[in-house]
Amino acid sequence: YQRRVRGDLDPFQDGSDKLAVDIQFGKLKEFVEAFSKQLREIEEALDESLSEGWDPHNDPIGLNFEPYEQTTILDLIKTINPIFNKVTIVFSSLCDEIVLLQKKA
């Protein structure tokens, strides 16, 4: 049994682990390059379509794609603790009112 001293080479190490690391690094590099190319293509396609916005003077009709929910805050907030329910309802109502006031302004 021989002790390895720092700096001694391992007699069983033939460098195959470095080869495997290089292969995996090459595969990762190819993947990143291909993915970045796809992202650039998507970005270019979106850049072209972003300028095509709705003009209220030229387009008589516009569509609103925001979801419409018919639930109320009271239906959404239900816990076991009634005091926590009341406090949460007050704060959520205030937040909802702030959003409405921002839209009006």
Side-chain angles (χ1 to χ4, degrees), residues 88-104:
T88 308
I89 289 170
V90 167
F91 282 120
S92 58
S93 297
L94 289 173
C95 290
D96 196 27
E97 189 172 342
I98 288 171
V99 170
L100 289 173
L101 290 173
Q102 284 178 341
K103 287 182 181 179
K104 285 184 180 180

Side-chain angles (χ1 to χ4, degrees), residues 2-104:
Q2 256 184 341
R3 287 183 141 188
R4 280 187 53 200
V5 180
R6 204 179 270 222
D8 287 347
L9 295 176
D10 188 359
F12 298 106
Q13 186 61 268
D14 61 352
S16 61
D17 61 338
K18 290 182 182 180
L19 181 64
V21 168
D22 291 339
I23 291 171
Q24 289 300 319
F25 182 73
K27 288 181 181 180
L28 179 63
K29 186 176 177 180
E30 289 175 11
F31 170 77
V32 169
E33 288 173 354
F35 191 71
S36 65
K37 181 181 175 187
Q38 288 177 351
L39 286 177
R40 269 188 250 111
E41 290 172 357
I42 292 171
E43 183 180 19
E44 289 171 3
L46 288 177
D47 282 343
E48 294 171 2
S49 66
L50 283 179
S51 62
E52 301 171 4
W54 177 65
D55 184 14
H57 302 290
N58 295 331
D59 300 329
I61 297 175
L63 299 176
N64 185 2
F65 292 108
E66 292 181 14
Y68 179 76
E69 295 183 17
Q70 296 181 351
T71 59
T72 64
I73 294 173
L74 299 173
D75 294 333
L76 294 174
I77 300 173
K78 291 184 180 177
T79 62
I80 298 171
N81 188 344
I83 296 172
F84 181 72
N85 280 348
K86 291 177 183 179
V87 170
T88 308
I89 289 170
V90 167
F91 282 120
S92 58
S93 297
L94 289 173
C95 290
D96 196 27
E97 189 172 342
I98 288 171
V99 170
L100 289 173
L101 290 173
Q102 284 178 341
K103 287 182 181 179
K104 285 184 180 180

